[in-house]
Amino acid sequence: MNHEGPALEWLLRRLSECPAEFIETCAVRDGHLQLIAIVCDHFRPYVLKDQDPFWEALRSHQIKSYKPENYFALLSIATWLLGHEWFVEHRETLEPAWLWLTSDSLATLANSIKASDCLNDPDRREELVRLCLASMDLRPADETKEQAMDRLTTLDSVERRRVLNATLAAERRAREVREAMAREKARESASRYGE
């Protein structure tokens, strides 16, 4: 987040205007093929030397992802976001954008939230925008690096889920220990009574 990017409001508005078809096309049987068309159409004007790596990355994520349709929809929405004129005018963001789309970042997020939440929920929309910018070493205009990092940490669905799972596991373990102690105490009481 070392460089200033576009205004946060511009990108949030862009996401709020994402056509429903960007999610719907990914829910059909051959949604991955339509997703590849969406992504390749976005990058075609930039004449990327080879778009085959996207297909390979998508296939590996399809296997890794617990919810492939949700992942495909999130990729489609992310591609819509990258169509904002600021990214089009700043061609230096092309390669980082490509790397973000083919990274594990979106697949991990897809396992934590619904793709539609990135359009309908203000916090999830902001989270996606901030993840996009952070992946390109950008921060929203008029924010310091510290402010941008703090806000992204606050919105981080993946971290929130990890903390929740760890808390649930700790509570489960504490309950198991209490139950074991109660059984041991009952056993001791029973053995004393039998003496």
Side-chain angles (χ1 to χ4, degrees), residues 110-142:
N111 289 325
S112 298
I113 63 170
K114 289 186 210 173
S116 60
D117 288 347
C118 291
L119 302 179
N120 304 321
D121 181 287
D123 285 343
R124 300 298 61 87
R125 190 167 42 235
E126 184 178 347
E127 179 181 14
L128 183 63
V129 167
R130 288 181 179 281
L131 282 173
C132 173
L133 292 175
S135 72
M136 297 181 211
D137 198 27
L138 298 171
R139 65 183 181 279
D142 301 324

Side-chain angles (χ1 to χ4, degrees), residues 55-187:
W55 171 246
E56 291 305 318
L58 178 60
R59 283 179 27 157
S60 69
H61 283 306
Q62 184 177 4
I63 293 165
K64 285 191 238 178
S65 182
Y66 298 103
K67 306 168 189 169
E69 295 84 12
N70 193 53
Y71 169 62
F72 296 159
L74 193 56
L75 275 171
S76 184
I77 292 168
T79 303
W80 169 263
L81 175 63
L82 292 169
H84 188 277
E85 63 189 34
W86 191 92
F87 295 116
V88 173
E89 292 170 2
H90 292 82
R91 293 181 61 91
E92 68 275 9
T93 64
L94 179 63
E95 187 175 344
W98 182 261
L99 293 173
W100 178 55
L101 288 179
T102 57
S103 72
D104 285 333
S105 175
L106 289 175
T108 303
L109 184 62
N111 289 325
S112 298
I113 63 170
K114 289 186 210 173
S116 60
D117 288 347
C118 291
L119 302 179
N120 304 321
D121 181 287
D123 285 343
R124 300 298 61 87
R125 190 167 42 235
E126 184 178 347
E127 179 181 14
L128 183 63
V129 167
R130 288 181 179 281
L131 282 173
C132 173
L133 292 175
S135 72
M136 297 181 211
D137 198 27
L138 298 171
R139 65 183 181 279
D142 301 324
E143 283 188 17
T144 66
K145 181 178 178 178
E146 292 74 23
Q147 290 170 324
M149 289 174 61
D150 183 55
R151 185 64 182 150
L152 181 57
T153 301
T154 301
L155 294 168
D156 192 339
S157 296
V158 174
E159 180 62 15
R160 185 179 318 110
R161 176 170 269 205
R162 187 195 67 72
V163 168
L164 178 62
N165 288 341
T167 302
L168 291 173
E171 288 174 357
R172 186 175 53 247
R173 179 68 183 131
R175 185 177 57 250
E176 289 169 357
V177 168
R178 283 191 306 272
E179 289 169 357
M181 290 172 66
R183 282 191 303 272
E184 182 61 30
K185 187 175 182 179
R187 198 175 10 244

Side-chain angles (χ1 to χ4, degrees), residues 9-23 76-77 80-81 83-85 118-120 125 129:
E9 297 77 26
W10 298 349
L11 300 180
L12 293 174
R13 181 181 175 115
R14 171 93 180 155
L15 275 184
S16 70
E17 296 171 347
C18 182
E21 292 81 13
F22 270 69
I23 291 181
S76 184
I77 292 168
W80 169 263
L81 175 63
H84 188 277
E85 63 189 34
C118 291
L119 302 179
N120 304 321
R125 190 167 42 235
V129 167

